[in-house]
């Protein structure tokens, strides 16, 4: 078994290669994310509770718009926190099939791809001047995939928030098994 940093492990056997990518090992940042989630939830609940006390229609409209934005960000924070706490990405090749799973609490849909129908893994280049790349690589969001491949017309991205070196290593190991 080959271990890359604290988050990635690669296991090679006769007809099997398996890659497991953990979302984080930084417990301090995970605690800060939880505190942020807690504060954000309390703020939204306070605003929602005051909605019923307000009599001005313009103020009610403002609260509804505010709560719609609040709910969107609440959903994303919860999703990110749960992923960082108990998610993992799994990629393995066995018997001519590439399997990919985003596992959350030991559950998750397994995607299957025939090796003859997929392209080799490619590195997704990050541009330091692109705002979306900077945000997607931050700890506070779920996303920031670094590798991709194509299966017929479907684009599959994986390797959330891994470094360039880790991505290249995974890419080289997996591409050896792709014809």
């Amino acid at each position: 078994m080959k271990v890359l940093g604290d988050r990635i492990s690669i296991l090679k056997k006769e007809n099997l290669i398996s890659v497991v990518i953990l979302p984080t090992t930084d417990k301090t940042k995970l605690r800060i994310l939880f505190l942020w989630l807690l504060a954000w939830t309390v703020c939204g609940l306070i605003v929602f509770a005051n909605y019923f006390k307000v009599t001005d229609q313009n103020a009610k409209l403002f609260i509804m718009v505010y709560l719609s934005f609040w709910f969107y960000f609440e959903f994303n924070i919860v999703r990110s926190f749960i992923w960082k706490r108990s998610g993992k990405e799994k990629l393995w090749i066995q018997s001519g099939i590439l399997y990919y799973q985003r596992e959350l609490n030991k559950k998750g849909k397994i995607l299957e791809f025939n090796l003859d129908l997929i392209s080799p893994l490619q590195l997704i280049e990050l541009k330091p001047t692109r705002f979306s790349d900077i945000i997607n690589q931050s700890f506070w969001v779920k996303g920031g995939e670094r590798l991709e491949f194509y299966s017929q017309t479907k684009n599959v991205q994986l390797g959330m928030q891994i470094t360039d070196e880790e991505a290249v290593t995974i890419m080289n190991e997996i591409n050896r098994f792709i014809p």
Side-chain angles (χ1 to χ4, degrees):
M1 176 159 23
K2 184 177 186 179
V3 177
L4 303 176
D6 297 333
R7 301 177 38 212
I8 300 171
S9 64
I10 300 173
L11 174 66
K12 284 195 266 185
K13 290 187 178 177
E14 289 178 15
N15 295 322
L16 169 74
I17 183 168
S18 172
V19 179
V20 176
I21 304 171
L22 301 175
T24 186
T25 56
D26 192 343
K27 300 299 180 192
T28 303
K29 285 184 180 178
L30 194 59
R31 286 186 202 107
I32 292 170
L33 183 61
F34 176 72
L35 290 175
W36 179 28
L37 171 62
L38 188 64
W40 188 260
T41 303
V42 168
C43 289
L45 292 175
I46 290 170
V47 170
F48 180 72
N50 286 318
Y51 173 80
F52 301 106
K53 297 178 182 176
V54 174
T55 57
D56 182 33
Q57 290 302 319
N58 288 333
K60 282 190 173 214
L61 179 62
F62 173 78
I63 290 173
M64 291 304 293
V65 170
Y66 173 86
L67 286 175
S68 64
F69 282 104
W70 171 84
F71 183 75
Y72 171 77
F73 288 109
E74 177 80 7
F75 175 77
N76 283 323
I77 296 168
V78 167
R79 190 177 86 158
S80 179
F81 177 72
I82 291 172
W83 174 257
K84 299 283 185 185
R85 194 170 136 257
S86 56
K88 68 174 95 165
E89 289 180 277
K90 292 181 176 180
L91 174 75
W92 68 97
I93 296 176
Q94 188 174 24
S95 304
I97 305 288
L98 183 141
Y99 300 93
Y100 177 64
Q101 178 184 27
R102 289 187 180 175
E103 182 182 288
L104 189 62
N105 292 326
K106 299 184 181 176
K107 296 177 186 171
K109 183 177 180 181
I110 299 174
L111 303 174
E112 298 180 11
F113 304 97
N114 188 330
L115 286 180
D116 297 328
L117 301 175
I118 67 171
S119 67
L121 266 68
Q122 301 170 345
L123 183 65
I124 298 173
E125 291 296 327
L126 295 179
K127 295 182 181 172
T129 57
R130 191 182 306 158
F131 181 72
S132 62
D133 287 346
I134 294 168
I135 293 297
N136 283 331
Q137 292 302 312
S138 71
F139 179 84
W140 317 108
V141 296
K142 178 184 174 189
E145 291 86 352
R146 296 303 316 278
L147 295 169
E148 68 181 350
F149 66 89
Y150 292 91
S151 175
Q152 297 170 336
T153 59
K154 185 176 182 179
N155 180 14
V156 180
Q157 296 183 341
L158 55 114
M160 286 191 250
Q161 298 179 347
I162 59 177
T163 65
D164 285 341
E165 296 81 24
E166 293 168 337
V168 168
T169 303
I170 292 170
M171 181 177 67
N172 291 336
E173 295 287 342
I174 295 294
N175 284 344
R176 290 181 191 159
F177 286 81
I178 298 175

